[in-house]
Amino acid sequence: MSAKSMDELVSLCKRRGFIFQSSEIYGGLQGMYDFGPLGVELKNNLKSAWWKSMVYERDDVEGLDASILTNQLVLNYSGHEDTFTDPLVDCKSCKSRWRADQIGDTCPNCGSKDLTDPRPFNLMFKTNVGPVEDEGSIAYLRPETAQQIFTNFKNIVDSTSRALPFGIAQIGKAFRNEITPRNFIFRVREFEQMELEFFVEPGEDNLWHDKWIEERSKWWESQGVSKKKIRFLEVPKDELSHYSKRTVDLMYEFPHGEEELEGIANRTDFDLGSHSKNQDQLNIQSKIRKNSDSNSRLAIQNKDTNEWIVPFVIEPSAGVERGVLAILNEAYKVEKLEDGKERIVLALKPHLSPIKAAVIPLKKNNDDLVSLAKNIKDELQSLGKGRVLLENTGNIGKSYRKHDEVGTPMCITIDFDSLENNTVTIRDRDSMDQKTYQIHELTSYFSNFFK
Ligand code: ATP
């Protein structure tokens, strides 16, 4: 069973150091969160699982890490300056602001129906680059990581000699000035995206789109997100983004209701076509604005026919924060124990666990036990599987409870038998079974466990 409510997750996240409200000591900053000692590990583990599956385990994807601050022209030709808006309404009675499509005709704050007409509100954060604040120095914090993948298309094709089909993957921050950020880390103003732009021959796009929808739902399952809680939503034609021919959203049952976890869009040749020079000489199929600024032809040459092709693009785009929230929700369990007590356990997949193992000396003031525990910690740490913690509190029961709650798959206890017989006790998080192992067996046990 997953968490009963968002409150339970929020409370665990704060209590154990996963997620804090940003700028909390000054009253916070709405729509921003900070990831604490365990949150940063969980988030990094999720991103690294995505990168492994998208880049390392495939032979047709390259990686990229582009700048966050983006030239205004990029977001002009991409269509974001004109169309990346949400409808905003003001309540004339209590002066609160809302997204028109989320509230209907009544103010959720005071119940008044005296609302302004909706007007478009651009979600991009604008800033100026350099010392002069004028029209010529405007730049944006990127609202999606995708655009800089498109602007780097030629650089990557030229430097890697890729032919179609191939993809470019990127993980990084994106910023949206959401009108009503809410539901903990579900809708925030600063977040991270894991995006793949997969370039294919026009005509092969529908096939690849279906393949990616399948791949992506399988991947979420391998991260512990139950298949039963994911639904495919065919986005209605009149709700598609300006670039999309078809979008399928992976909808997940979050604690606050079913919402989008990842979107998988067929962006056609819109983006490459929009950012390209010599558009007239290319067979661009989508409706684009004439580009008079780009100095690059964003097309790829067919090696047999020499024909220039503007590829179609399939884009699986997932939010890291929404992924973390779904994974925490799935992993959170309250179990009844035989003695009538309860335990909270975070049954995370081991590769996602913030702490891979806790090494716990039975007594915190015994130098021999602590020094052996430290050696074992160093040895396991050097295997490169993630963080191993020396838990020197001297309270085994309390340590077990803590590590159950933060999802540590194993606790390794060092006691007087360890000094006399070279044995340790390993307690398994899920079964709570405790087994004895020889110290020399530990590294292979640990490595195999995280394979
Ligand atoms: P929504 O309809 O929920 O606003 P969207 O359709 O605008 O989302 P996309 O533009 O498809 O979202 O962005 C791709 C992914 O980025 C989303 O599936 C989501 O996981 C993540 N994402 C988008 N906006 C936010 C946000 N404000 N906070 C956290 N994650 C976000």
Side-chain angles (χ1 to χ4, degrees):
M1 196 192 71
S2 51
K4 283 192 239 55
S5 71
M6 193 74 102
D7 289 347
E8 277 174 298
L9 289 183
V10 174
S11 150
L12 175 81
C13 284
K14 165 123 199 197
R15 191 170 71 246
R16 292 300 188 186
F18 281 89
I19 301 167
F20 310 121
Q21 192 189 5
S22 186
S23 307
E24 193 177 2
I25 63 166
Y26 292 110
L29 184 59
Q30 222 200 346
M32 316 287 167
Y33 285 92
D34 297 340
F35 283 74
L38 299 186
V40 63
E41 299 293 337
L42 172 56
K43 200 168 154 190
N44 283 344
N45 291 340
L46 182 66
K47 291 192 283 184
S48 134
W50 186 90
W51 195 263
K52 271 188 206 142
S53 107
M54 287 306 212
V55 184
Y56 298 166
E57 288 167 12
R58 303 183 63 92
D59 289 313
D60 54 3
V61 173
E62 301 287 352
L64 176 74
D65 183 17
S67 75
I68 289 171
L69 283 171
T70 306
N71 186 319
Q72 183 180 14
L73 289 174
V74 173
L75 293 154
N76 179 285
Y77 284 109
S78 70
H80 285 81
E81 274 198 324
D82 292 339
T83 60
F84 199 61
T85 57
D86 276 340
L88 170 78
V89 290
D90 287 305
C91 170
K92 289 185 191 160
S93 304
C94 72
K95 310 288 177 221
S96 58
R97 299 199 135 162
W98 303 96
R99 237 175 89 168
D101 57 330
Q102 285 179 347
I103 64 160
D105 62 358
T106 311
C107 172
N109 190 39
C110 70
S112 163
K113 288 191 186 297
D114 194 8
L115 306 176
T116 59
D117 286 338
R119 59 191 187 282
F121 171 74
N122 196 298
L123 301 181
M124 288 198 293
F125 283 96
K126 207 187 241 184
T127 187
N128 293 84
V129 172
V132 183
E133 281 194 25
D134 63 13
E135 283 297 306
S137 65
I138 291 174
Y140 291 104
L141 297 186
R142 64 186 179 198
E144 58 176 19
T145 68
Q147 288 308 319
Q148 301 278 47
I149 294 184
F150 302 127
T151 59
N152 275 293
F153 180 77
K154 190 168 169 349
N155 286 335
I156 291 177
V157 169
D158 288 353
S159 55
T160 63
S161 307
R162 283 286 177 186
L164 296 179
F166 80 99
I168 303 174
Q170 179 167 222
I171 300 176
K173 292 263 183 180
F175 300 82
R176 298 182 186 180
N177 199 1
E178 297 279 355
I179 296 168
T180 41
R182 55 183 168 179
N183 296 320
F184 193 31
I185 54 170
F186 176 82
R187 185 174 302 286
V188 283
R189 290 179 168 140
E190 172 175 341
F191 55 100
E192 282 189 271
Q193 291 184 313
M194 306 182 282
E195 293 197 305
L196 173 73
E197 305 303 321
F198 198 78
F199 302 99
V200 304
E201 297 262 356
E204 291 181 4
D205 49 313
N206 293 341
L207 206 76
W208 276 105
H209 198 181
D210 288 339
K211 265 194 207 177
W212 276 113
I213 295 165
E214 172 85 22
E215 286 274 318
R216 295 302 305 146
S217 58
K218 275 199 208 139
W219 184 80
W220 281 113
E221 219 185 323
S222 68
Q223 305 312 306
V225 179
S226 141
K227 209 174 169 175
K228 282 188 292 200
K229 290 231 200 96
I230 290 201
R231 185 172 69 87
F232 299 101
L233 173 81
E234 198 69 50
V235 177
K237 283 259 177 289
D238 59 345
E239 288 174 26
L240 288 174
S241 304
H242 60 282
Y243 50 72
S244 171
K245 168 174 157 186
R246 177 187 172 219
T247 298
V248 171
D249 286 344
L250 301 187
M251 306 293 283
Y252 172 75
E253 280 172 39
F254 287 97
H256 64 277
E258 191 195 60
E259 289 212 59
E260 176 182 335
L261 171 64
E262 168 161 353
I264 304 153
N266 181 343
R267 294 182 78 129
T268 69
D269 56 2
F270 176 84
D271 298 278
L272 289 180
S274 297
H275 290 304
S276 188
K277 71 171 183 183
N278 300 347
Q279 291 163 322
D280 300 344
Q281 296 160 25
L282 299 165
N283 189 16
I284 298 167
Q285 298 184 31
S286 56
K287 243 170 77 191
I288 47 162
R289 174 134 47 102
K290 181 115 193 85
N291 191 320
S292 48
D293 293 296
S294 168
N295 59 24
S296 182
R297 173 170 50 191
L298 300 185
I300 193 165
Q301 204 165 19
N302 180 313
K303 291 195 171 92
D304 301 325
T305 63
N306 283 343
E307 183 199 0
W308 286 97
I309 298 165
V310 182
F312 269 44
V313 182
I314 306 302
E315 176 196 72
S317 170
V320 177
E321 283 73 7
R322 289 187 190 181
V324 166
L325 186 57
I327 282 162
L328 286 173
N329 185 45
E330 292 281 322
Y332 186 99
K333 292 184 170 72
V334 181
E335 284 181 359
K336 276 248 171 312
L337 301 175
E338 278 169 12
D339 60 8
K341 292 194 179 129
E342 283 186 342
R343 74 160 182 160
I344 294 175
V345 58
L346 211 50
L348 293 167
K349 296 266 182 191
H351 71 278
L352 294 175
S353 291
I355 298 168
K356 303 303 175 196
V359 185
I360 313 172
L362 182 69
K363 290 199 176 326
K364 69 173 174 184
N365 296 325
N366 183 300
D367 288 347
D368 293 337
L369 290 178
V370 174
S371 140
L372 177 58
K374 174 92 177 78
N375 288 344
I376 289 175
K377 180 241 140 109
D378 290 347
E379 176 81 23
L380 298 182
Q381 189 61 68
S382 73
L383 298 172
K385 302 290 182 190
R387 186 170 185 198
V388 178
L389 189 76
L390 177 70
E391 186 66 83
N392 196 14
T393 55
N395 185 333
I396 303 277
K398 220 169 158 181
S399 296
Y400 285 167
R401 265 199 307 286
K402 166 184 161 186
H403 285 284
D404 283 346
E405 276 196 28
V406 305
T408 308
M410 65 178 83
C411 287
I412 303 170
T413 304
I414 315 300
D415 58 18
F416 294 105
D417 277 347
S418 312
L419 301 176
E420 278 168 30
N421 307 324
N422 295 316
T423 57
V424 294
T425 306
I426 299 187
R427 175 188 180 268
D428 179 82
R429 174 195 72 199
D430 298 332
S431 65
M432 293 185 284
D433 285 349
Q434 300 191 24
K435 288 200 182 118
T436 305
Y437 289 84
Q438 288 288 320
I439 290 175
H440 70 80
E441 294 173 301
L442 262 182
T443 50
S444 64
Y445 175 86
F446 185 79
S447 296
N448 286 334
F449 189 91
F450 289 102
K451 224 177 209 157

